[in-house]
Amino acid sequence: MLPSSLFPSTDFFQALEGLEEPQRSIEKARVLRWLTETRSAFPDAATLTQQTTSTQSSGYLPALPSSASEPAPISSVDTTFEIAAEASPAQPNIGDLHRRLKAVEAAVVHPPAKRRKRKTKIQAGAESSLLPAPSSTFGINPARLERHHLDETELSIKRFLQGQIRSQLYAAMQYKVGDRMPCHGYGSKPDDPNLLWPDFSQNINGPCNRLLQMRATMMVLEDAKNHPENIPEEYREKWLNSAVLLELARISWPHLKAVWNSQRLEASDGGADKRKKASAGRRGERRRTRAAQMRKALKDFCLERHLDPLIVTPELVHDEWVGEEWSCDEEDGTKSSKWRESLYATGKITADERDEDDALFAVLEIKRPEWMDLEVCVDLVSVYPW
DNA sequence: CCATTACGACCAAGTACCTG
DNA sequence: CAGGTACTTGGTCGTAATGG
């Protein structure tokens, strides 16, 4: 099995090995062209080996400013993204290309260090409260950092790039939200060399899957070259490189697979599971909405009575305490005439509604624990009259 | 150790409904 | 009917648990 985060181009060439011709040649040509045109993400071999032996991270290779590393033997090697963008579309420098390919080979010889062990929740929490801006994240692929290690700007950069990667993954397999998720071995793939399909029978590291991730990475880098203004200049070096983007592609991967899995499940169980989840989702959202409304109302309540809403609100309102609104029809997927009869008896619905045969109708029954009974609440209010 | 799964939370876009 | 609000839904992410 492949290690999780080899240097991306290494991954790419390994992925290529698993391919049939002519796809292999086509993709190889594509990446070679990319190597000659994109200079952002390929440190030279010296930096590479130095990094792989010293860093404890996931194989991410930060594009060090050339001033910070060794005096760059050849300045073009370490060029940053912006320089690449303004570089003249000169002929590809063969020597340069050769050197970068050597870096790729070096990465095979010196695979990156193992990933750091994940912290427990408690450790993470303690750390984040004690260390506001840990400088120790240097050298770690920013795509792998947890949220509290990123500031607002970087979070939005990550969101943006994640979206870009996602669209490129979708584009490469010609998938749209709502479509059937393609997969090798299911249906016949059109004979289009630009079309890449995932193979969910393999894991995230399967050759086709790697290839897809690499394609998305390249396309985003390509796009960034044409639209550098999308990322603030001071963040480009850190975020716009193949290691980060490939990691983002890997982060999106489980979702693709989830779409695939749920589509298959839906086909096999007739959508029962989907309905059940949808129902739970609706109840949850209803509950959150109710709770949010209560909080909103409490704000005014507190203002009128000179109470601190920051203290009072969390004490009085909790999503879990709101109770649930159920509709018998929608929650179990079957229409219950008994339930309708009882609703009719209480005057909640008309006789027509009771006998209505169409799918769902929107009468909800509020379920809540006994202590939430209105009379209990009224008593409480009389005991604690604010 | 790492990949995968499961699940809750959040968000944004879409839709339904209400009101002036 | 426009504009606003409530509600639904789908997509994504973070992370704990699970499994190989």
Side-chain angles (χ1 to χ4, degrees), chain A residues 118 121 162 166 170 177 255 282 289-290:
Chain A
R118 189 162 73 177
K121 195 182 182 184
Q162 188 85 65
R166 188 169 50 247
Y170 287 1
V177 169
H255 173 68
R282 279 197 298 276
T289 307
R290 286 290 97 71

PDB file of all heavy atoms in Angstrom, chain A residues 118 121 162 166 170 177 255 282 289-290, chain C residues 7-16:
ATOM      1  N   ARG A 118      -2.239  11.474  16.480  1.00  0.00           N
ATOM      2  CA  ARG A 118      -3.295  12.438  16.759  1.00  0.00           C
ATOM      3  C   ARG A 118      -3.458  12.654  18.248  1.00  0.00           C
ATOM      4  O   ARG A 118      -3.393  11.719  19.033  1.00  0.00           O
ATOM      5  CB  ARG A 118      -4.604  11.938  16.164  1.00  0.00           C
ATOM      6  CG  ARG A 118      -5.675  12.985  16.241  1.00  0.00           C
ATOM      7  CD  ARG A 118      -6.801  12.683  15.303  1.00  0.00           C
ATOM      8  NE  ARG A 118      -7.620  11.576  15.771  1.00  0.00           N
ATOM      9  CZ  ARG A 118      -8.703  11.161  15.155  1.00  0.00           C
ATOM     10  NH1 ARG A 118      -9.053  11.732  14.025  1.00  0.00           N
ATOM     11  NH2 ARG A 118      -9.395  10.163  15.605  1.00  0.00           N
ATOM     12  N   LYS A 121      -8.755  14.565  22.520  1.00  0.00           N
ATOM     13  CA  LYS A 121      -9.540  15.785  22.568  1.00  0.00           C
ATOM     14  C   LYS A 121      -9.092  16.661  23.729  1.00  0.00           C
ATOM     15  O   LYS A 121      -8.959  17.871  23.605  1.00  0.00           O
ATOM     16  CB  LYS A 121     -11.017  15.434  22.705  1.00  0.00           C
ATOM     17  CG  LYS A 121     -11.933  16.594  22.402  1.00  0.00           C
ATOM     18  CD  LYS A 121     -13.361  16.174  22.598  1.00  0.00           C
ATOM     19  CE  LYS A 121     -14.304  17.327  22.256  1.00  0.00           C
ATOM     20  NZ  LYS A 121     -15.685  16.973  22.533  1.00  0.00           N
ATOM     21  N   GLN A 162     -10.561  24.520  -1.056  1.00  0.00           N
ATOM     22  CA  GLN A 162     -11.271  23.239  -0.968  1.00  0.00           C
ATOM     23  C   GLN A 162     -12.393  23.195  -1.999  1.00  0.00           C
ATOM     24  O   GLN A 162     -12.606  22.188  -2.662  1.00  0.00           O
ATOM     25  CB  GLN A 162     -11.852  23.070   0.438  1.00  0.00           C
ATOM     26  CG  GLN A 162     -12.433  21.702   0.704  1.00  0.00           C
ATOM     27  CD  GLN A 162     -11.379  20.708   1.146  1.00  0.00           C
ATOM     28  OE1 GLN A 162     -10.793  20.875   2.203  1.00  0.00           O
ATOM     29  NE2 GLN A 162     -11.131  19.703   0.352  1.00  0.00           N
ATOM     30  N   ARG A 166     -12.639  20.661  -5.094  1.00  0.00           N
ATOM     31  CA  ARG A 166     -13.845  19.856  -5.238  1.00  0.00           C
ATOM     32  C   ARG A 166     -14.414  19.999  -6.646  1.00  0.00           C
ATOM     33  O   ARG A 166     -14.724  19.015  -7.312  1.00  0.00           O
ATOM     34  CB  ARG A 166     -14.872  20.277  -4.193  1.00  0.00           C
ATOM     35  CG  ARG A 166     -16.076  19.378  -4.122  1.00  0.00           C
ATOM     36  CD  ARG A 166     -16.902  19.699  -2.904  1.00  0.00           C
ATOM     37  NE  ARG A 166     -17.192  21.117  -2.765  1.00  0.00           N
ATOM     38  CZ  ARG A 166     -16.738  21.907  -1.823  1.00  0.00           C
ATOM     39  NH1 ARG A 166     -15.922  21.431  -0.918  1.00  0.00           N
ATOM     40  NH2 ARG A 166     -17.051  23.175  -1.780  1.00  0.00           N
ATOM     41  N   TYR A 170     -14.858  17.092  -9.448  1.00  0.00           N
ATOM     42  CA  TYR A 170     -16.115  16.855 -10.136  1.00  0.00           C
ATOM     43  C   TYR A 170     -15.929  16.996 -11.644  1.00  0.00           C
ATOM     44  O   TYR A 170     -16.437  16.181 -12.424  1.00  0.00           O
ATOM     45  CB  TYR A 170     -17.190  17.845  -9.659  1.00  0.00           C
ATOM     46  CG  TYR A 170     -17.738  17.586  -8.263  1.00  0.00           C
ATOM     47  CD1 TYR A 170     -17.267  16.526  -7.494  1.00  0.00           C
ATOM     48  CD2 TYR A 170     -18.723  18.402  -7.724  1.00  0.00           C
ATOM     49  CE1 TYR A 170     -17.770  16.297  -6.225  1.00  0.00           C
ATOM     50  CE2 TYR A 170     -19.232  18.174  -6.455  1.00  0.00           C
ATOM     51  CZ  TYR A 170     -18.749  17.126  -5.703  1.00  0.00           C
ATOM     52  OH  TYR A 170     -19.254  16.905  -4.446  1.00  0.00           O
ATOM     53  N   VAL A 177     -23.497  17.610  -8.786  1.00  0.00           N
ATOM     54  CA  VAL A 177     -24.297  17.283  -7.617  1.00  0.00           C
ATOM     55  C   VAL A 177     -25.682  16.841  -8.067  1.00  0.00           C
ATOM     56  O   VAL A 177     -26.311  17.506  -8.875  1.00  0.00           O
ATOM     57  CB  VAL A 177     -24.404  18.503  -6.685  1.00  0.00           C
ATOM     58  CG1 VAL A 177     -25.439  18.261  -5.607  1.00  0.00           C
ATOM     59  CG2 VAL A 177     -23.053  18.795  -6.070  1.00  0.00           C
ATOM     60  N   HIS A 255     -15.937  12.190   1.068  1.00  0.00           N
ATOM     61  CA  HIS A 255     -17.274  12.630   0.708  1.00  0.00           C
ATOM     62  C   HIS A 255     -17.736  12.005  -0.609  1.00  0.00           C
ATOM     63  O   HIS A 255     -18.883  11.589  -0.731  1.00  0.00           O
ATOM     64  CB  HIS A 255     -17.334  14.145   0.614  1.00  0.00           C
ATOM     65  CG  HIS A 255     -18.640  14.619   0.082  1.00  0.00           C
ATOM     66  ND1 HIS A 255     -19.803  14.483   0.811  1.00  0.00           N
ATOM     67  CD2 HIS A 255     -18.995  15.139  -1.105  1.00  0.00           C
ATOM     68  CE1 HIS A 255     -20.802  14.932   0.092  1.00  0.00           C
ATOM     69  NE2 HIS A 255     -20.352  15.337  -1.076  1.00  0.00           N
ATOM     70  N   ARG A 282     -34.691  16.786   9.794  1.00  0.00           N
ATOM     71  CA  ARG A 282     -35.751  17.804   9.919  1.00  0.00           C
ATOM     72  C   ARG A 282     -36.034  18.108  11.376  1.00  0.00           C
ATOM     73  O   ARG A 282     -36.135  19.269  11.765  1.00  0.00           O
ATOM     74  CB  ARG A 282     -37.019  17.315   9.230  1.00  0.00           C
ATOM     75  CG  ARG A 282     -37.026  17.505   7.733  1.00  0.00           C
ATOM     76  CD  ARG A 282     -38.426  17.381   7.190  1.00  0.00           C
ATOM     77  NE  ARG A 282     -38.998  16.060   7.437  1.00  0.00           N
ATOM     78  CZ  ARG A 282     -38.781  15.002   6.659  1.00  0.00           C
ATOM     79  NH1 ARG A 282     -38.013  15.118   5.598  1.00  0.00           N
ATOM     80  NH2 ARG A 282     -39.325  13.843   6.933  1.00  0.00           N
ATOM     81  N   THR A 289     -34.036  25.583  15.305  1.00  0.00           N
ATOM     82  CA  THR A 289     -34.748  26.812  14.987  1.00  0.00           C
ATOM     83  C   THR A 289     -35.528  27.299  16.197  1.00  0.00           C
ATOM     84  O   THR A 289     -35.478  28.472  16.560  1.00  0.00           O
ATOM     85  CB  THR A 289     -35.713  26.580  13.814  1.00  0.00           C
ATOM     86  OG1 THR A 289     -34.979  26.008  12.746  1.00  0.00           O
ATOM     87  CG2 THR A 289     -36.345  27.868  13.372  1.00  0.00           C
ATOM     88  N   ARG A 290     -36.264  26.362  16.828  1.00  0.00           N
ATOM     89  CA  ARG A 290     -37.022  26.727  18.040  1.00  0.00           C
ATOM     90  C   ARG A 290     -36.094  27.338  19.080  1.00  0.00           C
ATOM     91  O   ARG A 290     -36.365  28.398  19.627  1.00  0.00           O
ATOM     92  CB  ARG A 290     -37.666  25.489  18.659  1.00  0.00           C
ATOM     93  CG  ARG A 290     -38.860  24.915  17.976  1.00  0.00           C
ATOM     94  CD  ARG A 290     -40.074  25.806  18.091  1.00  0.00           C
ATOM     95  NE  ARG A 290     -40.186  26.619  16.883  1.00  0.00           N
ATOM     96  CZ  ARG A 290     -40.540  26.126  15.698  1.00  0.00           C
ATOM     97  NH1 ARG A 290     -40.851  24.870  15.552  1.00  0.00           N
ATOM     98  NH2 ARG A 290     -40.595  26.919  14.643  1.00  0.00           N
TER      99      ARG A 290
ATOM    100  P    DC C   7     -40.323  27.754  11.325  1.00  0.00           P
ATOM    101  OP1  DC C   7     -41.508  27.173  11.975  1.00  0.00           O
ATOM    102  OP2  DC C   7     -39.117  28.079  12.101  1.00  0.00           O
ATOM    103  O5'  DC C   7     -39.918  26.793  10.132  1.00  0.00           O
ATOM    104  C5'  DC C   7     -40.867  26.551   9.096  1.00  0.00           C
ATOM    105  C4'  DC C   7     -40.187  25.763   8.002  1.00  0.00           C
ATOM    106  O4'  DC C   7     -39.284  26.611   7.285  1.00  0.00           O
ATOM    107  C3'  DC C   7     -39.369  24.573   8.500  1.00  0.00           C
ATOM    108  O3'  DC C   7     -39.928  23.419   7.920  1.00  0.00           O
ATOM    109  C2'  DC C   7     -37.947  24.868   8.008  1.00  0.00           C
ATOM    110  C1'  DC C   7     -38.208  25.822   6.855  1.00  0.00           C
ATOM    111  N1   DC C   7     -37.104  26.744   6.507  1.00  0.00           N
ATOM    112  C2   DC C   7     -36.625  26.750   5.189  1.00  0.00           C
ATOM    113  O2   DC C   7     -37.134  25.975   4.363  1.00  0.00           O
ATOM    114  N3   DC C   7     -35.620  27.600   4.851  1.00  0.00           N
ATOM    115  C4   DC C   7     -35.112  28.417   5.767  1.00  0.00           C
ATOM    116  N4   DC C   7     -34.136  29.230   5.385  1.00  0.00           N
ATOM    117  C5   DC C   7     -35.587  28.433   7.114  1.00  0.00           C
ATOM    118  C6   DC C   7     -36.572  27.581   7.439  1.00  0.00           C
ATOM    119  P    DT C   8     -39.289  22.008   8.130  1.00  0.00           P
ATOM    120  OP1  DT C   8     -40.346  20.998   8.100  1.00  0.00           O
ATOM    121  OP2  DT C   8     -38.326  22.085   9.245  1.00  0.00           O
ATOM    122  O5'  DT C   8     -38.460  21.870   6.778  1.00  0.00           O
ATOM    123  C5'  DT C   8     -39.142  21.981   5.527  1.00  0.00           C
ATOM    124  C4'  DT C   8     -38.183  21.621   4.415  1.00  0.00           C
ATOM    125  O4'  DT C   8     -37.180  22.657   4.277  1.00  0.00           O
ATOM    126  C3'  DT C   8     -37.425  20.312   4.625  1.00  0.00           C
ATOM    127  O3'  DT C   8     -37.566  19.584   3.428  1.00  0.00           O
ATOM    128  C2'  DT C   8     -35.985  20.751   4.899  1.00  0.00           C
ATOM    129  C1'  DT C   8     -35.903  22.074   4.161  1.00  0.00           C
ATOM    130  N1   DT C   8     -34.954  23.088   4.688  1.00  0.00           N
ATOM    131  C2   DT C   8     -34.052  23.673   3.829  1.00  0.00           C
ATOM    132  O2   DT C   8     -33.969  23.376   2.666  1.00  0.00           O
ATOM    133  N3   DT C   8     -33.263  24.636   4.406  1.00  0.00           N
ATOM    134  C4   DT C   8     -33.284  25.062   5.713  1.00  0.00           C
ATOM    135  O4   DT C   8     -32.524  25.936   6.102  1.00  0.00           O
ATOM    136  C5   DT C   8     -34.240  24.413   6.559  1.00  0.00           C
ATOM    137  C7   DT C   8     -34.340  24.802   8.003  1.00  0.00           C
ATOM    138  C6   DT C   8     -35.025  23.467   6.017  1.00  0.00           C
ATOM    139  P    DT C   9     -37.090  18.107   3.324  1.00  0.00           P
ATOM    140  OP1  DT C   9     -37.953  17.410   2.359  1.00  0.00           O
ATOM    141  OP2  DT C   9     -36.841  17.573   4.676  1.00  0.00           O
ATOM    142  O5'  DT C   9     -35.692  18.351   2.611  1.00  0.00           O
ATOM    143  C5'  DT C   9     -35.654  19.164   1.434  1.00  0.00           C
ATOM    144  C4'  DT C   9     -34.213  19.319   1.009  1.00  0.00           C
ATOM    145  O4'  DT C   9     -33.592  20.360   1.787  1.00  0.00           O
ATOM    146  C3'  DT C   9     -33.358  18.062   1.193  1.00  0.00           C
ATOM    147  O3'  DT C   9     -32.908  17.692  -0.091  1.00  0.00           O
ATOM    148  C2'  DT C   9     -32.228  18.491   2.129  1.00  0.00           C
ATOM    149  C1'  DT C   9     -32.250  20.010   2.004  1.00  0.00           C
ATOM    150  N1   DT C   9     -31.827  20.784   3.204  1.00  0.00           N
ATOM    151  C2   DT C   9     -30.958  21.834   3.032  1.00  0.00           C
ATOM    152  O2   DT C   9     -30.502  22.152   1.948  1.00  0.00           O
ATOM    153  N3   DT C   9     -30.649  22.514   4.187  1.00  0.00           N
ATOM    154  C4   DT C   9     -31.113  22.249   5.454  1.00  0.00           C
ATOM    155  O4   DT C   9     -30.759  22.928   6.407  1.00  0.00           O
ATOM    156  C5   DT C   9     -32.016  21.130   5.562  1.00  0.00           C
ATOM    157  C7   DT C   9     -32.565  20.766   6.893  1.00  0.00           C
ATOM    158  C6   DT C   9     -32.325  20.466   4.445  1.00  0.00           C
ATOM    159  P    DG C  10     -32.104  16.383  -0.329  1.00  0.00           P
ATOM    160  OP1  DG C  10     -32.604  15.768  -1.556  1.00  0.00           O
ATOM    161  OP2  DG C  10     -32.019  15.612   0.937  1.00  0.00           O
ATOM    162  O5'  DG C  10     -30.669  17.000  -0.619  1.00  0.00           O
ATOM    163  C5'  DG C  10     -30.572  18.117  -1.497  1.00  0.00           C
ATOM    164  C4'  DG C  10     -29.140  18.595  -1.536  1.00  0.00           C
ATOM    165  O4'  DG C  10     -28.862  19.376  -0.352  1.00  0.00           O
ATOM    166  C3'  DG C  10     -28.108  17.469  -1.556  1.00  0.00           C
ATOM    167  O3'  DG C  10     -27.097  17.864  -2.475  1.00  0.00           O
ATOM    168  C2'  DG C  10     -27.598  17.399  -0.113  1.00  0.00           C
ATOM    169  C1'  DG C  10     -27.753  18.845   0.345  1.00  0.00           C
ATOM    170  N9   DG C  10     -28.027  19.044   1.765  1.00  0.00           N
ATOM    171  C8   DG C  10     -28.824  18.283   2.576  1.00  0.00           C
ATOM    172  N7   DG C  10     -28.896  18.739   3.801  1.00  0.00           N
ATOM    173  C5   DG C  10     -28.106  19.873   3.788  1.00  0.00           C
ATOM    174  C6   DG C  10     -27.802  20.786   4.818  1.00  0.00           C
ATOM    175  O6   DG C  10     -28.182  20.789   5.991  1.00  0.00           O
ATOM    176  N1   DG C  10     -26.955  21.803   4.388  1.00  0.00           N
ATOM    177  C2   DG C  10     -26.463  21.911   3.111  1.00  0.00           C
ATOM    178  N2   DG C  10     -25.662  22.941   2.868  1.00  0.00           N
ATOM    179  N3   DG C  10     -26.745  21.061   2.129  1.00  0.00           N
ATOM    180  C4   DG C  10     -27.564  20.073   2.544  1.00  0.00           C
ATOM    181  P    DG C  11     -25.897  16.951  -2.740  1.00  0.00           P
ATOM    182  OP1  DG C  11     -25.626  17.062  -4.177  1.00  0.00           O
ATOM    183  OP2  DG C  11     -26.072  15.635  -2.102  1.00  0.00           O
ATOM    184  O5'  DG C  11     -24.758  17.729  -1.959  1.00  0.00           O
ATOM    185  C5'  DG C  11     -24.517  19.085  -2.298  1.00  0.00           C
ATOM    186  C4'  DG C  11     -23.431  19.617  -1.400  1.00  0.00           C
ATOM    187  O4'  DG C  11     -23.969  19.777  -0.078  1.00  0.00           O
ATOM    188  C3'  DG C  11     -22.227  18.681  -1.269  1.00  0.00           C
ATOM    189  O3'  DG C  11     -21.071  19.440  -1.566  1.00  0.00           O
ATOM    190  C2'  DG C  11     -22.260  18.218   0.186  1.00  0.00           C
ATOM    191  C1'  DG C  11     -23.019  19.348   0.865  1.00  0.00           C
ATOM    192  N9   DG C  11     -23.753  18.965   2.066  1.00  0.00           N
ATOM    193  C8   DG C  11     -24.606  17.903   2.209  1.00  0.00           C
ATOM    194  N7   DG C  11     -25.128  17.824   3.396  1.00  0.00           N
ATOM    195  C5   DG C  11     -24.594  18.901   4.076  1.00  0.00           C
ATOM    196  C6   DG C  11     -24.794  19.331   5.420  1.00  0.00           C
ATOM    197  O6   DG C  11     -25.501  18.823   6.292  1.00  0.00           O
ATOM    198  N1   DG C  11     -24.063  20.463   5.703  1.00  0.00           N
ATOM    199  C2   DG C  11     -23.242  21.114   4.817  1.00  0.00           C
ATOM    200  N2   DG C  11     -22.607  22.192   5.267  1.00  0.00           N
ATOM    201  N3   DG C  11     -23.046  20.724   3.565  1.00  0.00           N
ATOM    202  C4   DG C  11     -23.744  19.616   3.271  1.00  0.00           C
ATOM    203  P    DT C  12     -19.687  18.754  -1.581  1.00  0.00           P
ATOM    204  OP1  DT C  12     -18.913  19.494  -2.595  1.00  0.00           O
ATOM    205  OP2  DT C  12     -19.828  17.303  -1.663  1.00  0.00           O
ATOM    206  O5'  DT C  12     -19.105  19.139  -0.165  1.00  0.00           O
ATOM    207  C5'  DT C  12     -19.032  20.506   0.200  1.00  0.00           C
ATOM    208  C4'  DT C  12     -18.649  20.618   1.643  1.00  0.00           C
ATOM    209  O4'  DT C  12     -19.712  20.135   2.468  1.00  0.00           O
ATOM    210  C3'  DT C  12     -17.410  19.801   2.028  1.00  0.00           C
ATOM    211  O3'  DT C  12     -16.367  20.732   2.297  1.00  0.00           O
ATOM    212  C2'  DT C  12     -17.836  19.015   3.268  1.00  0.00           C
ATOM    213  C1'  DT C  12     -19.144  19.687   3.670  1.00  0.00           C
ATOM    214  N1   DT C  12     -20.138  18.787   4.284  1.00  0.00           N
ATOM    215  C2   DT C  12     -20.555  19.053   5.573  1.00  0.00           C
ATOM    216  O2   DT C  12     -20.126  19.984   6.230  1.00  0.00           O
ATOM    217  N3   DT C  12     -21.482  18.178   6.068  1.00  0.00           N
ATOM    218  C4   DT C  12     -22.033  17.090   5.420  1.00  0.00           C
ATOM    219  O4   DT C  12     -22.861  16.381   5.975  1.00  0.00           O
ATOM    220  C5   DT C  12     -21.561  16.872   4.080  1.00  0.00           C
ATOM    221  C7   DT C  12     -22.090  15.721   3.284  1.00  0.00           C
ATOM    222  C6   DT C  12     -20.654  17.727   3.585  1.00  0.00           C
ATOM    223  P    DC C  13     -14.936  20.233   2.644  1.00  0.00           P
ATOM    224  OP1  DC C  13     -14.011  21.281   2.175  1.00  0.00           O
ATOM    225  OP2  DC C  13     -14.763  18.838   2.244  1.00  0.00           O
ATOM    226  O5'  DC C  13     -14.977  20.290   4.230  1.00  0.00           O
ATOM    227  C5'  DC C  13     -15.428  21.479   4.868  1.00  0.00           C
ATOM    228  C4'  DC C  13     -15.450  21.253   6.367  1.00  0.00           C
ATOM    229  O4'  DC C  13     -16.577  20.434   6.711  1.00  0.00           O
ATOM    230  C3'  DC C  13     -14.203  20.541   6.902  1.00  0.00           C
ATOM    231  O3'  DC C  13     -13.692  21.305   7.974  1.00  0.00           O
ATOM    232  C2'  DC C  13     -14.713  19.176   7.350  1.00  0.00           C
ATOM    233  C1'  DC C  13     -16.190  19.452   7.636  1.00  0.00           C
ATOM    234  N1   DC C  13     -17.098  18.293   7.434  1.00  0.00           N
ATOM    235  C2   DC C  13     -18.034  17.976   8.429  1.00  0.00           C
ATOM    236  O2   DC C  13     -18.064  18.645   9.455  1.00  0.00           O
ATOM    237  N3   DC C  13     -18.861  16.926   8.233  1.00  0.00           N
ATOM    238  C4   DC C  13     -18.797  16.227   7.097  1.00  0.00           C
ATOM    239  N4   DC C  13     -19.640  15.213   6.955  1.00  0.00           N
ATOM    240  C5   DC C  13     -17.848  16.535   6.076  1.00  0.00           C
ATOM    241  C6   DC C  13     -17.018  17.576   6.283  1.00  0.00           C
ATOM    242  P    DG C  14     -12.318  20.993   8.601  1.00  0.00           P
ATOM    243  OP1  DG C  14     -11.682  22.292   8.858  1.00  0.00           O
ATOM    244  OP2  DG C  14     -11.633  19.960   7.798  1.00  0.00           O
ATOM    245  O5'  DG C  14     -12.718  20.349   9.990  1.00  0.00           O
ATOM    246  C5'  DG C  14     -13.571  21.080  10.850  1.00  0.00           C
ATOM    247  C4'  DG C  14     -13.854  20.244  12.087  1.00  0.00           C
ATOM    248  O4'  DG C  14     -14.811  19.208  11.744  1.00  0.00           O
ATOM    249  C3'  DG C  14     -12.629  19.529  12.656  1.00  0.00           C
ATOM    250  O3'  DG C  14     -12.690  19.684  14.055  1.00  0.00           O
ATOM    251  C2'  DG C  14     -12.800  18.078  12.207  1.00  0.00           C
ATOM    252  C1'  DG C  14     -14.313  17.944  12.126  1.00  0.00           C
ATOM    253  N9   DG C  14     -14.818  17.016  11.120  1.00  0.00           N
ATOM    254  C8   DG C  14     -14.351  16.852   9.842  1.00  0.00           C
ATOM    255  N7   DG C  14     -15.030  15.965   9.157  1.00  0.00           N
ATOM    256  C5   DG C  14     -15.997  15.514  10.045  1.00  0.00           C
ATOM    257  C6   DG C  14     -17.014  14.543   9.880  1.00  0.00           C
ATOM    258  O6   DG C  14     -17.278  13.864   8.882  1.00  0.00           O
ATOM    259  N1   DG C  14     -17.777  14.390  11.032  1.00  0.00           N
ATOM    260  C2   DG C  14     -17.581  15.088  12.199  1.00  0.00           C
ATOM    261  N2   DG C  14     -18.408  14.818  13.199  1.00  0.00           N
ATOM    262  N3   DG C  14     -16.632  15.998  12.371  1.00  0.00           N
ATOM    263  C4   DG C  14     -15.877  16.155  11.259  1.00  0.00           C
ATOM    264  P    DT C  15     -11.532  19.186  14.966  1.00  0.00           P
ATOM    265  OP1  DT C  15     -11.542  20.062  16.140  1.00  0.00           O
ATOM    266  OP2  DT C  15     -10.317  19.017  14.167  1.00  0.00           O
ATOM    267  O5'  DT C  15     -12.037  17.754  15.416  1.00  0.00           O
ATOM    268  C5'  DT C  15     -13.298  17.655  16.060  1.00  0.00           C
ATOM    269  C4'  DT C  15     -13.642  16.210  16.272  1.00  0.00           C
ATOM    270  O4'  DT C  15     -14.146  15.628  15.045  1.00  0.00           O
ATOM    271  C3'  DT C  15     -12.449  15.327  16.686  1.00  0.00           C
ATOM    272  O3'  DT C  15     -12.918  14.460  17.703  1.00  0.00           O
ATOM    273  C2'  DT C  15     -12.157  14.527  15.428  1.00  0.00           C
ATOM    274  C1'  DT C  15     -13.581  14.352  14.925  1.00  0.00           C
ATOM    275  N1   DT C  15     -13.719  13.923  13.522  1.00  0.00           N
ATOM    276  C2   DT C  15     -14.782  13.102  13.199  1.00  0.00           C
ATOM    277  O2   DT C  15     -15.602  12.728  14.013  1.00  0.00           O
ATOM    278  N3   DT C  15     -14.843  12.741  11.880  1.00  0.00           N
ATOM    279  C4   DT C  15     -13.959  13.094  10.876  1.00  0.00           C
ATOM    280  O4   DT C  15     -14.115  12.703   9.725  1.00  0.00           O
ATOM    281  C5   DT C  15     -12.880  13.954  11.277  1.00  0.00           C
ATOM    282  C7   DT C  15     -11.883  14.412  10.279  1.00  0.00           C
ATOM    283  C6   DT C  15     -12.818  14.324  12.569  1.00  0.00           C
ATOM    284  P    DA C  16     -11.966  14.053  18.896  1.00  0.00           P
ATOM    285  OP1  DA C  16     -11.919  15.180  19.832  1.00  0.00           O
ATOM    286  OP2  DA C  16     -10.723  13.487  18.351  1.00  0.00           O
ATOM    287  O5'  DA C  16     -12.821  12.892  19.546  1.00  0.00           O
ATOM    288  C5'  DA C  16     -14.242  13.023  19.618  1.00  0.00           C
ATOM    289  C4'  DA C  16     -14.886  11.678  19.360  1.00  0.00           C
ATOM    290  O4'  DA C  16     -14.939  11.415  17.941  1.00  0.00           O
ATOM    291  C3'  DA C  16     -14.135  10.509  19.994  1.00  0.00           C
ATOM    292  O3'  DA C  16     -15.095   9.643  20.577  1.00  0.00           O
ATOM    293  C2'  DA C  16     -13.420   9.862  18.819  1.00  0.00           C
ATOM    294  C1'  DA C  16     -14.364  10.157  17.666  1.00  0.00           C
ATOM    295  N9   DA C  16     -13.716  10.284  16.362  1.00  0.00           N
ATOM    296  C8   DA C  16     -12.596  11.006  16.053  1.00  0.00           C
ATOM    297  N7   DA C  16     -12.262  10.944  14.779  1.00  0.00           N
ATOM    298  C5   DA C  16     -13.225  10.129  14.222  1.00  0.00           C
ATOM    299  C6   DA C  16     -13.441   9.668  12.905  1.00  0.00           C
ATOM    300  N6   DA C  16     -12.653   9.986  11.882  1.00  0.00           N
ATOM    301  N1   DA C  16     -14.494   8.871  12.690  1.00  0.00           N
ATOM    302  C2   DA C  16     -15.289   8.550  13.731  1.00  0.00           C
ATOM    303  N3   DA C  16     -15.190   8.923  15.004  1.00  0.00           N
ATOM    304  C4   DA C  16     -14.132   9.717  15.183  1.00  0.00           C
TER     305       DA C  16
END
